[in-house]
Amino acid sequence: MAKVKVTLEVGNDGVAVITIFNPPVNALDIPTVASLKEKFEEAVRRNDVKAIVLTGNAGRFSAGFDINVFGKVHESGDVLVMPDVSFDLVLNTLENSKKPVVAAVEGLALGGGLELALGCHARIAAPRAQLSLPELSLGVIPGFGGTQRLPRLVGLQKAIEMMLSLKPILSEEGKKLGLIDAIVSPQELLKVSRSWALEIADRRKPWLRSLHRTDKLASLSEAREILKVARQQARKNAPNMPHHQACLNVIEDGIVHGGYSGLLMEAKVSKELLLADTARGLVHVFFAQRATSKVPNVTDVGLKPRQIKKVAVIGGGLMGSGIATALLLSNISVVLKEVNFEYLQKGIEKIEGNVKGLVTRRGLTQDKAQKALALLKDSLDYSDFKDVDMVIEAVIESVPLKQKIFSELENVCPPHCVLATNTSTIDLNVVGEKTNSHDRIVGAHFFRLQDLGGYGVALAAGKELSRAFPDRTFKSPLVEILIKNGRNGKNNGK
């Protein structure tokens, strides 16, 4: 049997409580949307129902529309996979319902979840509930009426800020803005919401449809000035994100031509943006980021990371000194190893310069700087490697040299020590070819900074990559042209 996505319970008071039940965050997938419509239609039909309360199970209202549906649209290229939530559910079923609907919001109401609540006739929330419309982070705009209803409830300026900044607000701020009608404890949330819904039904509280409101909207001239400034900021902050401008266009249409016209434009633009490259890319990034937190045989078997207390860094050049600095500032003891005293001294000076520079430029306190540098120890041999938790090799891109180093590390480091290479180009299997420690050799690369390191490094790395991965590299003549022109980045100031 299919899992129940939405439940309906009618109390003796005549209030139907409709609960979204889609763990863990009550996402609005296609079956949930269909079930919501079905339950609302049932509640409106029933003679024993006077009013309706919409809420979410397990302390969460809804985290919004199921983004997996976006993925299906991108796979098929068919935007008709998307259900008509804006008109069919939020407008026709909720906002235009013959019986009042109150949203009981706890935990979070994000994206489509908040847009559902905006379509209700009142919103009661628990303390510190998170409210936001973060759709622009996925390359799309709010598509369930958010571009039209939010400005009518909180004012144009704040609505634009919420949509473009992507930052959630808490229910307490929502109450001050007029987005939330009352804040009550989680224990009282349903009781107060039921009572509020009945008072609307009995006309003791106003029956307000957000889309019809204009009291929070500025005059047309003021609105256009606010939108003008917002467009300028969007061009500056998100120059390659056309959906930011599209969102502002949709908002403006609703202000100039009315909320219903704005909804029509929102639906049209939402579909166009969903099929655009920007949305495809950002949705891909969304899923990729979450995939990294689910690693087979790691996250699914309860493995926990070992604490890193002491790290050895081999090589005190540009990369090695930078890596050592980052570790020291993270309160990790560092052993810096070099091949001779001259190189070792230069590496220490680089690290000291890095830390002192942070004191000057970024407000690192002198006390913290001294504590960080006190964690640094220098070495010309492997005598201090016997108790390190990790080694990071940051020497030149030479296969024989790296293989020699890793063969030596295998014999001097403890069995639990992670052996990391900072290689830009060399296959890790090649680096560890002459060891028996393949299971603890990793790449720890910190370099996408050609100008800092000099283009000669980039050219050498490019040749190595071409040899190692000929089918995955594209050779550009640009770097060679820069070098022939005497331009080698920060090294020579060109």
Side-chain angles (χ1 to χ4, degrees), residues 310-325 327-328 333-348 350-351 375-386 388 390-396 401-402 404-410 412-413:
K310 185 177 181 181
V311 175
V313 178
I314 301 176
L318 180 68
M319 289 306 302
S321 61
I323 294 166
T325 304
L327 292 165
L328 293 169
S333 296
V334 173
V335 177
L336 180 68
K337 182 187 179 301
E338 261 293 3
V339 292
N340 59 48
F341 180 78
E342 181 186 354
Y343 284 178
L344 187 59
Q345 194 60 35
K346 285 182 179 178
I348 292 169
K350 282 191 180 79
I351 294 169
L375 296 171
L376 176 63
K377 186 171 184 179
D378 54 57
S379 180
L380 293 173
D381 55 40
Y382 292 117
S383 57
D384 291 301
F385 282 48
K386 60 182 180 296
V388 295
M390 186 177 193
V391 177
I392 301 178
E393 165 271 306
V395 302
I396 60 172
L401 177 58
K402 289 181 187 289
K404 177 177 180 293
I405 288 172
F406 275 80
S407 295
E408 294 168 347
L409 290 175
E410 184 177 42
V412 298
C413 295

Side-chain angles (χ1 to χ4, degrees), residues 155-180:
L156 180 60
Q157 185 81 53
K158 186 63 182 181
I160 290 173
E161 179 190 317
M162 285 179 66
M163 284 183 256
L164 268 62
S165 74
L166 311 177
K167 294 177 182 177
I169 64 169
L170 297 180
S171 49
E172 287 77 2
E173 184 179 356
K175 172 70 167 60
K176 292 176 183 176
L177 293 167
L179 176 58
I180 299 297

Side-chain angles (χ1 to χ4, degrees), residues 170-227:
L170 297 180
S171 49
E172 287 77 2
E173 184 179 356
K175 172 70 167 60
K176 292 176 183 176
L177 293 167
L179 176 58
I180 299 297
D181 295 285
I183 296 178
V184 299
S185 69
Q187 295 78 15
E188 295 285 306
L189 183 60
L190 276 181
K191 178 184 174 183
V192 173
S193 298
R194 298 174 85 116
S195 174
W196 202 286
L198 287 172
E199 288 187 72
I200 296 175
D202 295 337
R203 303 293 178 174
R204 286 181 286 132
K205 285 193 185 299
W207 192 322
L208 299 173
R209 292 176 172 85
S210 303
L211 195 64
H212 296 181
R213 291 182 61 175
T214 57
D215 55 297
K216 291 284 185 76
L217 294 180
S219 68
L220 194 56
S221 59
E222 289 175 307
R224 282 186 162 145
E225 185 60 32
I226 291 170
L227 285 159

Side-chain angles (χ1 to χ4, degrees), residues 7-8 18 44 63 74 104 113 115 134 138 141 150 152 156 165 182 191 205 255 274 281 285 352 380 418 422 485 494:
T7 61
L8 183 152
I18 295 176
V44 171
H74 293 157
E115 290 177 286
L138 295 170
I141 63 174
L150 190 62
R152 286 166 167 76
L156 180 60
S165 74
K191 178 184 174 183
K205 285 193 185 299
I255 290 170
L274 182 55
V285 168
E352 289 175 343
L380 293 173
V418 176
N422 185 238
N485 198 244
K494 295 182 179 179

Side-chain angles (χ1 to χ4, degrees), residues 297-310:
N297 299 317
V298 176
T299 56
D300 55 357
V301 295
L303 288 183
K304 293 183 179 178
R306 184 185 296 114
Q307 190 174 1
I308 301 291
K309 295 179 180 178
K310 185 177 181 181

